[in-house]
Amino acid sequence: MRNAVPQEIKITKTTTSKITKVDFKNLNFGKVFTDHMFVCDYVNGSWQTPKIIPYGPLTLDPSARVFHYGQAVFEGMKAYKDDRGDTFLFRPDENFIRINKSAERLAIPEFPEEYFFNGLNTLLTLDNEWIKPGFGNSLYIRPFVIATQPSVSASEADEYRFMIICSPAQSYYSGDVSVLVAEKFSRSANGGFGYAKAAGNYAGQFYPTKLAKEQGYQQVIWTDSNTHQYIEEAGTMNVFFRINDTLITAPTSDRILDGITRKSLIALAEKQGYNIDVRPIKVSEIVDAAKNGSLKEIFGAGTAAVVSPVKAFGYQGAHYEIENLENSYASHFKKALMDIQYNKAEDSFGWRVKV
Ligand SMILES: *Cc1c(COP(=O)(O)O)cnc(C)c1O
């Protein structure tokens, strides 16, 4: 793996693995965690010797700043195993770059590249049994950083903890979802931190999403905070529309998260000769396309579900259904991407990284 240079990690192995107690055929997403976790503290202006220790609760001071001011960023990535038992990551460099981009925006110190990749590599080797082969099985990896400094004074902390925890996952299919287009609420604003994978972006989403659920929708399609006329993201995923045979997705900005799945789908679509437009998308355009029958598909794109088809959307009190297509772009691109992730297809982009 890239930059996995030898570098000291203090390893304390668990004496009692939990793995035999886990039913790998009935996993709820994000509920079960592997035997070990990676921990690295930032104190006195530098990242200390990283540790891998048995997975377990943390002891933090109640005044730790993360609890009060939400100074926290995270990543979401996956490890995959092929039929020969080899383990792969998908574009992990992108996750590393992004967590530091998110960190910078929240005034969190940059995490060193060798620590990240060496820690990840060592953790995945230790807990390799938890990565099950089989198309759709994976290990969801959650790197995150929190402000641990005990103090409720409102400024950035000078003590942090960087951690990586891992959770075995199965093929994630939530069923086709219905989404509600936001007319009042926003997840991010100009000059804000919508582009960062920050805990606070999620906290602010739950209430509008809860209201949408009460109306029978599972997710919110976020629109621009100024006019609510342009589409930005779907729930916690980037969003694609297919009008006739053209795929459309919004350009990234400081309000939109630069998703790795999104940019991989764009690259795949370009390579395979699909029409793909990256441009601002008006809500009215999608409503018109739904009315005149040219709106063929909507799908979300993100690491957890890869591609998540949308079957209906609500806007200004009206409900629009999208017909189920047999050969959808959503299923085509989901398979194309997963074939690369699981080492079932040639990877001409060099996205797959062996652990
Ligand atoms: C993580 C995330 C995505 C998807 O990014 P991927 O890199 O594809 O997993 C999209 N939108 C938001 C808000 C996210 O937090």
Side-chain angles (χ1 to χ4, degrees):
M1 198 194 295
R2 196 176 148 200
N3 281 302
V5 292
Q7 184 249 314
E8 195 193 344
I9 300 179
K10 254 184 87 187
I11 299 173
T12 311
K13 284 193 198 174
T14 181
T15 49
T16 46
S17 174
K18 299 171 290 188
I19 196 163
T20 53
K21 296 196 194 94
V22 176
D23 179 0
F24 282 88
K25 293 203 166 60
N26 287 297
L27 292 167
N28 279 329
F29 183 76
K31 292 252 163 79
V32 170
F33 293 87
T34 62
D35 286 326
H36 299 94
M37 59 187 190
F38 175 84
V39 186
C40 187
D41 286 328
Y42 183 89
V43 285
N44 298 326
S46 64
W47 293 101
Q48 307 297 302
T49 303
K51 292 184 286 192
I52 289 178
I53 56 175
Y55 183 91
L58 307 177
T59 302
L60 290 177
D61 196 283
S63 71
R65 288 190 182 183
V66 64
F67 298 134
H68 306 275
Y69 307 117
Q71 211 188 352
V73 296
F74 67 95
E75 268 304 320
M77 54 203 295
K78 279 179 175 176
Y80 313 87
K81 206 169 252 180
D82 71 4
D83 297 335
R84 296 173 42 210
D86 288 331
T87 303
F88 299 93
L89 293 166
F90 183 72
R91 310 186 75 176
D93 291 28
E94 297 282 342
N95 298 99
F96 170 72
I97 291 166
R98 192 169 64 189
I99 199 167
N100 277 336
K101 229 170 118 183
S102 303
E104 181 187 32
R105 181 61 182 81
L106 275 88
I108 295 172
E110 194 179 327
F111 195 67
E113 188 169 3
E114 320 82 76
Y115 283 37
F116 183 86
F117 285 104
N118 199 24
L120 191 55
N121 205 17
T122 309
L123 186 61
L124 292 180
T125 304
L126 261 182
D127 284 343
N128 199 266
E129 279 289 296
W130 290 80
I131 313 169
K132 297 297 178 192
F135 205 54
N137 295 330
S138 65
L139 188 71
Y140 184 79
I141 303 165
R142 168 56 59 88
F144 64 103
V145 195
I146 51 172
T148 48
Q149 186 190 10
S151 167
V152 293
S153 82
S155 63
E156 81 275 18
D158 54 24
E159 291 174 15
Y160 297 89
R161 182 163 295 174
F162 179 99
M163 300 189 63
I164 305 175
I165 57 175
C166 302
S167 173
Q170 280 174 293
S171 187
Y172 184 89
Y173 183 71
S174 47
D176 288 6
V177 294
S178 299
V179 295
L180 185 63
V181 179
E183 291 167 47
K184 175 182 166 203
F185 294 103
S186 305
R187 75 171 278 282
S188 62
N190 289 334
F193 57 101
Y195 69 88
K197 239 175 151 63
N201 282 330
Y202 278 67
Q205 258 176 233
F206 296 148
Y207 176 65
T209 306
K210 188 178 127 183
L211 296 182
K213 283 179 182 163
E214 286 167 12
Q215 290 182 249
Y217 296 93
Q218 288 84 49
Q219 289 290 349
V220 173
I221 286 205
W222 302 104
T223 49
D224 72 288
S225 54
N226 280 350
T227 67
H228 294 292
Q229 285 183 29
Y230 289 91
I231 285 173
E232 306 216 307
E233 295 204 54
T236 56
M237 292 186 280
N238 295 110
V239 63
F240 287 76
F241 297 85
R242 174 183 167 191
I243 296 183
N244 292 317
D245 285 339
T246 300
L247 269 180
I248 315 168
T249 193
T252 53
S253 68
D254 58 2
R255 299 184 308 269
I256 298 183
L257 191 115
D258 185 7
I260 297 160
T261 316
R262 172 189 174 277
K263 64 173 133 194
S264 304
L265 292 180
I266 294 171
L268 268 178
E270 280 171 351
K271 179 146 188 279
Q272 297 183 347
Y274 286 81
N275 297 325
I276 170 112
D277 262 2
V278 179
R279 61 165 173 83
I281 308 162
K282 270 198 133 169
V283 182
S284 59
E285 174 186 358
I286 299 304
V287 169
D288 289 345
K291 283 180 180 162
N292 69 28
S294 59
L295 180 66
K296 305 296 184 198
E297 295 180 50
I298 305 178
F299 56 86
T303 295
V306 190
V307 164
S308 187
V310 171
K311 67 171 184 206
F313 70 93
Y315 181 59
Q316 292 186 337
H319 184 78
Y320 303 88
E321 300 270 347
I322 300 158
E323 237 177 275
N324 210 351
L325 288 185
E326 206 149 287
N327 294 308
S328 67
Y329 284 10
S331 57
H332 167 77
F333 284 110
K334 180 169 187 170
K335 181 171 185 304
L337 204 58
M338 287 178 70
D339 280 346
I340 295 176
Q341 291 168 334
Y342 286 84
N343 195 22
K344 282 178 177 293
E346 194 204 334
D347 172 23
S348 58
F349 297 98
W351 288 338
R352 201 164 48 217
V353 177
K354 198 170 165 198
V355 176

